[in-house]
Amino acid sequence: MIARLKAQSIGLLIGGLTLTAAFFYWQHVTGERDAYRAEAERQRDRAEILLENQQYQRQQIRTLNESLAERDRTLSAIATDISASKAALEQLGERDEEARDWLDSDVPGGIADWVRQLQADGSGDARSLPDSAGAPDK
């Protein structure tokens, strides 16, 4: 009878230890699973943030490219206008000797006289033209 009680108590002890080990193993597995899920969620959030940042940078690059393209178009138009103006001035200088002399001089005499007159008067009419440009005398 004692042997039988010993066998039953050993069986119960082994069963209890097995159940305890199974419970702790289940807790360990569940804890790791939850940790992996939390890490996966954190990585998903991080990936989402990185994608949003990438989209923002792409939008900034598109905006910058559009701005630079507009700037290039504007500069091209300005360069065309300058070339046309230079060509017109060169043609004018080639056809008109007086205009060529005027273009070659530093400051035309009529303009220099007009500026001196404005400085001397102090209250001169800024809209009046120099005498050599065909303005009436004061």
Side-chain angles (χ1 to χ4, degrees):
M1 176 128 154
I2 294 184
R4 197 169 149 193
L5 279 173
K6 279 184 179 180
Q8 283 181 348
S9 62
I10 290 176
L12 286 174
L13 183 63
I14 290 175
L17 288 175
T18 304
L19 285 175
T20 304
F23 174 75
F24 284 119
Y25 179 72
W26 179 75
Q27 287 291 327
H28 173 72
V29 169
T30 303
E32 282 187 357
R33 182 196 65 205
D34 292 343
Y36 287 133
R37 283 183 179 168
E39 179 65 18
E41 184 66 28
R42 188 180 74 77
Q43 292 296 334
R44 265 193 295 277
D45 291 345
R46 185 170 182 253
E48 201 173 295
I49 290 168
L50 290 173
L51 285 174
E52 287 174 6
N53 186 31
Q54 187 180 37
Q55 289 172 349
Y56 173 76
Q57 287 178 347
R58 284 183 181 161
Q59 179 61 37
Q60 292 298 319
I61 289 170
R62 267 193 296 272
T63 302
L64 181 60
N65 285 338
E66 290 169 2
S67 297
L68 289 175
E70 180 64 29
R71 178 184 156 259
D72 288 345
R73 284 191 293 274
T74 302
L75 289 175
S76 178
I78 290 170
T80 302
D81 289 346
I82 288 173
S83 295
S85 296
K86 284 173 74 176
L89 285 173
E90 287 172 1
Q91 289 176 357
L92 179 64
E94 290 171 359
R95 285 187 274 156
D96 187 358
E97 187 174 324
E98 182 182 332
R100 184 175 40 241
D101 291 341
W102 183 80
L103 287 172
D104 290 338
S105 69
D106 289 338
V107 176
I111 299 294
D113 292 341
W114 179 56
V115 171
R116 280 190 210 103
Q117 187 179 19
L118 285 176
Q119 289 174 343
D121 290 347
S123 63
D125 185 6
R127 283 181 255 140
S128 65
L129 297 173
D131 292 337
S132 63
D137 292 331
K138 286 186 177 180

